[in-house]
């Protein structure tokens, strides 16, 4: 096999790419071996006998693997954590989803006629004050207190 290292170096410079990205057409090795000037190399580039492979980006393979494992709770232990618990999972989001569910349920009960306006207002205020942990808790309260508070 012919030593084409000089041609590879020239092609690398001409194409402004690293030596490992330079591709030589195996069918044209004889022509490439005869190319001893930059002009010769440029001609071969135009003919398509020499080209630069596209640069490879960072592979996402390992990141995808990690995401798959984290989806079922692996690789999430204390040694992998950088932020405080409240930074990793905002407690405000919990509150928003909980209070929205409670208010929606209260609205349903009021529209169905199960709550009179004053009871509705009282329960609405209690919910806003953090009295109920969940919709189930709200319904337990209503069952125990018979809809009046």
């Amino acid at each position: 096999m012919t030593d084409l290292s000089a041609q590879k170096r020239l092609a690398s410079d001409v194409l402004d790419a690293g030596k490992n990205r330079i591709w030589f057409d195996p069918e044209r090795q004889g022509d490439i071996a005869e190319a001893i000037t930059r002009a010769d190399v440029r001609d071969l580039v135009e003919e398509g006998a020499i080209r630069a492979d596209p640069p490879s980006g960072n592979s996402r393979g390992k990141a995808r693997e990690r995401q798959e494992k984290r989806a079922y709770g692996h690789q999430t232990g204390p040694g992998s954590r950088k932020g405080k618990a409240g930074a990793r999972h905002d407690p405000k989001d919990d509150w928003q989803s909980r209070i929205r569910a409670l208010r929606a349920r209260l609205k349903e009960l009021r529209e169905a006629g199960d709550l009179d306006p004053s009871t509705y207002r009282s329960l609405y205020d209690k919910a806003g004050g953090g009295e109920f942990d969940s919709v189930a808790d709200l319904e337990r309260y209503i069952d125990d207190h018979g809809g009046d508070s």
Side-chain angles (χ1 to χ4, degrees):
M1 187 164 166
T2 329
D3 179 20
L4 301 174
S5 56
Q7 286 80 353
K8 188 154 273 205
R9 182 181 57 76
L10 284 173
S12 162
D13 207 32
V14 165
L15 291 168
D16 195 25
K19 283 186 258 188
N20 290 335
R21 277 179 50 208
I22 302 301
W23 176 87
F24 288 157
D25 185 347
E27 307 290 315
R28 305 278 307 272
Q29 281 196 352
D31 298 340
I32 294 170
E34 290 168 18
I36 53 172
T37 67
R38 283 169 192 277
D40 295 340
V41 170
R42 273 190 215 100
D43 292 341
L44 287 168
V45 167
E46 279 175 34
E47 293 167 24
I50 298 175
R51 68 167 180 253
D53 291 330
S56 58
N58 293 342
S59 168
R60 293 268 317 144
K62 283 192 174 83
R64 273 191 295 274
E65 262 178 48
R66 195 176 312 111
Q67 282 169 341
E68 267 179 44
K69 287 183 176 176
R70 284 182 176 171
Y72 50 86
H74 291 196
Q75 299 189 343
T76 56
S80 301
R81 299 179 196 168
K82 289 265 185 159
K84 290 278 205 176
R88 290 170 59 83
H89 181 86
D90 187 4
K92 182 174 181 176
D93 292 340
D94 284 343
W95 168 257
Q96 283 178 339
S97 78
R98 196 164 67 240
I99 196 67
R100 285 173 185 169
L102 287 166
R103 287 173 176 166
R105 184 67 183 129
L106 284 169
K107 203 169 166 188
E108 284 171 19
L109 292 169
R110 183 185 61 186
E111 286 167 3
D114 297 337
L115 294 179
D116 60 84
S118 67
T119 308
Y120 167 82
R121 173 48 51 189
S122 162
L123 291 172
Y124 186 98
D125 291 344
K126 281 184 188 336
E131 182 100 1
F132 309 117
D133 294 334
S134 61
V135 171
D137 194 21
L138 168 69
E139 296 192 335
R140 264 194 307 275
Y141 182 92
I142 293 171
D143 290 343
D144 294 347
H145 294 78
D148 51 278
S149 43

